[in-house]
Amino acid sequence: MKVLVIGGGGREHAIVWKLAQSPRVDRIYCSPGNAGIAELAECIDIDPSDHESLKDFVRYEWIDLTIVGPELPLSRGIVDAFEREGRRCMGPSKSAARLESSKVFAKEFMKRHGIPTAEYRAFTSYLHAEEYVRMKGAPIVIKADGLAAGKGVIVAGTTDEAISALRLIMKEKAFGAAGERVVVEECLDGEEASYLVFSDGETVLPMVSSQDHKRVYDDDQGPNTGGMGAYSPAPVISPEVEQKILDRIIKPTVKGLKREGVKYRGVLYAGLMIKDGEPYVLEFNCRFGDPEAQPILSRLKSDLLEISLAVTDERLSRLSLEWRPEAAVCVVAASKGYPGRYEKGKTITGLDKLKGLPDVIVFHAGTAYNDDSIVTAGGRVLGVTALGKDIRDARQRAYRAIREVHFEGMHYRKDIASRAVKG
Ligand code: AMP
Ligand code: GLY
């Protein structure tokens, strides 16, 4: 079979790496891909938001299955466009992807279906939002309704900070139309974790749990990023907590959507806060997490092609997933300045030393070829994932490996998974 993967980050490298192990996959294409993906797939230079060109490519190359990595094409209806032409495309429809693309939709949906989440109000008027923030006081969370590349959520420690966030989003329109509405939400405390499942609209198959590290610096300091590292499993998701997540969150979400006439086919990702053993939804994503996909897919034993076909063809109930029992830890190396401005084109060295190491995998994110050398081409440059007998072991192996990699200005967190080890 021929498969096209859309995207070019660490998540997509992990997807391509896993697909490449499938005996039924003959050829993989990736749009746009990166230098690491280019070793396993043919990278094609089509913008992931150019659905027409992607559709032409899929028709011309007789692609059997497309897997969509990032949220933007999903929120713009790439799956609907492909399916109208009878093409298999793994990911939720535009309507189902509203769980991620509109926070107001997601909150109202959770309220309708009794899914545990923070208390909230939605506003289109700045004045009403400000009044509400003053009434509630801090800490409080301000969220732009639409997609804002991970920057649209401000956890405000003071009322002034919350009001500045409202101004930024609603008056200065820092996120454009994504900020026409805002959600003002109760601030929850507890421990965060990510819980992902495959869904075909009827059956859900859970993945192993994971935990992301969103802030750029150690001890959760500094601004939020796309994610500086992740590990799996997340000990905070005990079997009891997992059962609650499935019964109170995941199943009611898929069933609730179905009752509203929407089939959720794809990866459903619940970003959770676990407080005293009770899970609450912070956000939904309609795709694999990045970097979570890196440790999760490293642990997946089953064939990702078979799973993806079962999702698109709605026969997940006939499948069960197998996972490696080892733990996995992924540490992300980023460019100097990330998540702010950064330079590109820095030569990356040391990657050869990691080739062939057992259970150490380098997933590229922002990398490109420059003649024969590999150079940086993005904020998050690569992630080093290692498996080990437990999180402590995996963590040591991941850090030992990443110390071999160098590029000018490289930085990474030194405390990925340290809480899980202490715990
Ligand atoms: P989101 O993009 O909605 O996941 O939000 C980004 C980050 O903001 C989350 O990973 C949390 O760390 C934080 N966050 C979001 N909502 C809340 C909330 N209600 N209470 C506390 N922290 C939150
Ligand atoms: N790592 C968080 C996300 O993928 O949204």
Side-chain angles (χ1 to χ4, degrees), residues 107 117-121 132 136 183-188:
K107 295 298 285 190
T117 186
E119 225 189 273
Y120 80 103
R121 287 272 300 275
Y132 183 73
K136 284 284 176 184
V183 167
V184 180
E185 183 172 295
E186 165 200 13
C187 189
L188 298 176

Side-chain angles (χ1 to χ4, degrees), residues 219-282:
D219 298 323
D220 293 332
Q221 301 296 310
N224 267 340
T225 68
M228 294 296 290
Y231 59 92
S232 169
V236 66
I237 302 194
S238 63
E240 298 76 44
V241 172
E242 179 165 20
Q243 201 56 52
K244 289 180 191 169
I245 295 169
L246 283 167
D247 293 344
R248 299 181 194 167
I249 294 169
I250 300 293
K251 288 179 185 165
T253 300
V254 172
K255 263 198 200 133
L257 282 171
K258 192 178 160 206
R259 238 181 289 144
E260 296 183 10
V262 177
K263 264 193 187 154
Y264 195 100
R265 280 182 308 228
V267 171
L268 176 63
Y269 162 151
L272 304 166
M273 188 70 92
I274 317 291
K275 186 176 163 53
D276 303 327
E278 301 298 318
Y280 298 87
V281 177
L282 294 179

Side-chain angles (χ1 to χ4, degrees), residues 71-72 75 100-102 144-150 152 175 178:
E71 61 276 20
L72 202 57
S75 73
E100 175 166 5
S101 64
S102 168
D145 175 47
L147 295 179
F175 310 113

Side-chain angles (χ1 to χ4, degrees), residues 11 212 214 226-227 269 283 285 287-292 380:
R11 163 182 52 212
D212 186 12
K214 285 218 162 72
Y269 162 151
E283 63 162 348
N285 292 320
R287 49 169 174 88
F288 281 110
D290 193 0
E292 292 95 319
R380 289 190 290 176

Side-chain angles (χ1 to χ4, degrees), residues 27-100:
R27 193 133 194 208
I28 309 172
Y29 298 88
C30 189
S31 147
N34 59 38
I37 291 174
E39 291 185 12
L40 300 168
E42 187 176 324
C43 294
I44 53 168
D45 193 15
I46 304 178
D47 183 337
S49 58
D50 184 354
H51 297 184
E52 282 309 312
S53 300
L54 288 169
K55 258 188 338 197
D56 286 347
F57 179 81
V58 160
R59 200 181 310 124
Y60 184 72
E61 289 290 341
W62 295 91
I63 301 291
D64 299 285
L65 168 73
T66 301
I67 298 182
V68 186
E71 61 276 20
L72 202 57
L74 292 166
S75 73
R76 292 186 179 159
I78 191 166
V79 174
D80 311 62
F82 274 46
E83 286 182 349
R84 272 197 296 274
E85 307 228 334
R87 299 283 169 188
R88 279 200 198 98
C89 192
M90 150 107 144
S93 63
K94 181 176 182 175
S95 177
R98 279 180 302 167
L99 279 183
E100 175 166 5

